Amino acid sequence: MDRTNDSPSGRGRHSQSASEPLNCPECGSSSVHEDLTRGERVCGGCGLVLSDHRIDTGAEWRAFSSDESETRSRVGAPARYTVHDKGLSTIIDWRDRDTSGRKLSPTRRSEIYRLRKWQIRSRVHSSMDRNLAQAMSELERLASQLGIPKPIRELSALLYRKSIIHKLVRGRSIEAMVAATLYAACRIRLKPRPLDEVADASRVDKKKLGQCYRLLLRSLNIKVPLSNPVDYIGRFASELSLSSKVQLRTVELLEKSRDFGLTIGRDPLGLAAAAIYVASIMLDERRTQREIAEVARVTEVTVRNRYKELVLKLGIDTITQV
DNA sequence: AAGACGAAAGTGGTTGA
DNA sequence: TCAACAACTTTCGTCTT
């Protein structure tokens, strides 16, 4: 066999050729590689993109038959952060046989022996890997229970990898860190879930989760946009089976109250709840404070306080407005 | 009777000395 | 590290519909 490419996914056909060894500034890992299908230089350890818009200098092969299109494909399976080895690891078999089942020559055999030894010594089977495997299954469970879409799961998995590299998991429970990364990922993608909701779905109490979350933000220097009450109302409104009219009105109310400075320092959940309450009354689809408080996971008192402010400052007369 | 309201005391997190 | 503080929660009694 004289194939020049034995990378498992086939994506590295011309990669690594003359590129100088480079360490990742983020995690120090030396597994930086060229991803020519995306034109990026990526750290294999944490996923950091070091540079992008690089040019694929490989031959412009075209495929004329299905056979060729297979062998000349420049892409492999997508790297997935939710699979603990990103779905890309190479496994060296323990049998001393080649792919057709023949015994290996003595020189080849000792070569394979060395490779196998180093593979085992390398991080492939390290504690990080076992940790990741466990974490990813927990992530999968948690995310599907909360109905979190794939892209957010992937982001969460990426954050978890980083937190392992930064040694944040040591001394903390895997579950707590997984939940924290998931919560963070949701917020980063502007699909926030209440902390309580995430805490309930995992077996982590809210306090621990909050601690892990803050640690995550601090250690990884992540900037998370302040959660906007507007991001919640779609979900809340559908849980309360309110019409889209009410949703629109709620958004208007929230925008107005932001202009009035009513939103500073206030719990976004409470604001969302109060705005929904007002809008539901305005449009004659009234829900009780308790119902709304329940889906928003705040107390009736909070709904009431925000509601009072809203009515007062915005000059809304809920009785006469229709 | 259910829902809304309001007061008072308690809780957990943030801030500044 | 600690106290002060703001926002929120819990609890409970009262008023309104």
Side-chain angles (χ1 to χ4, degrees):
Chain A
M1 292 287 264
D2 60 353
R3 287 181 56 196
T4 51
N5 166 35
D6 16 276
S7 105
S9 66
R11 63 169 52 210
R13 188 177 294 274
H14 299 281
S15 64
Q16 312 263 354
S17 49
S19 67
E20 69 285 5
L22 191 64
N23 282 358
C24 173
E26 177 82 9
C27 65
S29 160
S30 59
S31 53
V32 171
H33 64 273
E34 305 267 346
D35 183 340
L36 290 175
T37 59
R38 295 181 179 199
E40 290 172 346
R41 184 181 273 171
V42 186
C43 169
C46 66
L48 180 73
V49 177
L50 298 168
S51 58
D52 55 8
H53 294 101
R54 295 175 72 84
I55 295 169
D56 183 352
T57 52
E60 288 298 328
W61 278 336
R62 293 179 61 195
F64 296 99
S65 67
S66 64
D67 198 32
E68 279 179 355
S69 73
E70 232 168 76
T71 55
R72 295 186 175 178
S73 166
R74 298 188 192 187
V75 299
R80 289 173 45 206
Y81 289 102
T82 42
V83 177
H84 73 105
D85 57 8
K86 299 180 207 155
L88 292 178
S89 70
T90 307
I91 290 153
I92 300 176
D93 200 3
W94 54 269
R95 285 165 304 198
D96 292 322
R97 303 203 175 250
D98 65 13
T99 45
S100 47
R102 280 190 298 267
K103 281 220 156 161
L104 297 171
S105 68
T107 37
R108 185 77 181 139
R109 196 174 142 176
S110 65
E111 194 182 325
I112 293 293
Y113 177 78
R114 279 202 317 277
L115 282 174
R116 192 186 293 139
K117 184 162 81 186
W118 279 103
Q119 190 187 33
I120 290 165
R121 282 188 191 174
S122 74
R123 320 258 307 262
V124 176
H125 286 118
S126 67
S127 64
M128 169 173 170
D129 234 48
R130 284 197 302 274
N131 184 315
L132 265 178
Q134 201 181 328
M136 290 308 107
S137 75
E138 167 67 9
L139 175 63
E140 208 56 28
R141 188 193 68 76
L142 193 58
S144 61
Q145 188 174 334
L146 292 166
I148 301 217
K150 199 110 218 174
I152 296 183
R153 294 184 198 189
E154 290 286 327
L155 177 58
S156 166
L158 177 58
L159 291 176
Y160 189 82
R161 275 169 195 279
K162 288 191 180 184
S163 64
I164 289 188
I165 291 160
H166 287 254
K167 306 218 187 307
L168 306 182
V169 188
R170 180 162 293 177
R172 270 167 271 270
S173 77
I174 292 177
E175 282 180 355
M177 275 318 283
V178 166
T181 59
L182 193 61
Y183 175 72
C186 287
R187 287 193 55 170
I188 292 168
R189 288 292 156 82
L190 301 181
K191 297 266 177 295
R193 297 308 188 87
L195 198 62
D196 293 77
E197 221 175 282
V198 182
D200 281 357
S202 70
R203 275 152 288 184
V204 182
D205 65 280
K206 193 182 163 187
K207 192 177 169 184
K208 280 247 169 58
L209 179 53
Q211 284 170 346
C212 287
Y213 172 66
R214 279 195 302 281
L215 181 79
L216 196 69
L217 297 195
R218 239 184 306 122
S219 312
L220 303 185
N221 254 327
I222 305 171
K223 345 162 228 348
V224 172
L226 284 178
S227 74
N228 185 343
V230 175
D231 296 331
Y232 291 107
I233 62 172
R235 240 158 34 78
F236 291 170
S238 74
E239 271 185 61
L240 293 162
S241 46
L242 287 163
S243 70
S244 55
K245 265 192 201 166
V246 179
Q247 288 191 41
L248 284 175
R249 179 63 63 91
T250 310
V251 176
E252 285 172 27
L253 287 172
L254 285 172
E255 278 167 0
K256 233 189 252 176
S257 51
R258 194 188 51 218
D259 297 341
F260 275 78
L262 289 177
T263 54
I264 321 166
R266 294 282 136 85
D267 182 1
L269 290 168
L271 282 165
I276 286 180
Y277 180 63
V278 175
S280 76
I281 293 172
M282 281 174 147
L283 296 170
D284 213 22
E285 294 185 39
R286 189 190 189 102
R287 298 290 180 279
T288 67
Q289 292 180 355
R290 183 180 302 165
E291 284 173 317
I292 294 172
E294 207 169 307
V295 300
R297 290 167 175 270
V298 292
T299 59
E300 294 168 63
V301 183
T302 305
V303 177
R304 226 157 26 228
N305 290 339
R306 292 294 85 74
Y307 152 74
K308 269 192 301 186
E309 285 174 5
L310 226 59
V311 171
L312 197 69
K313 292 281 175 63
L314 300 186
I316 299 165
D317 188 346
T318 47
I319 313 296
T320 55
Q321 278 260 359
V322 180

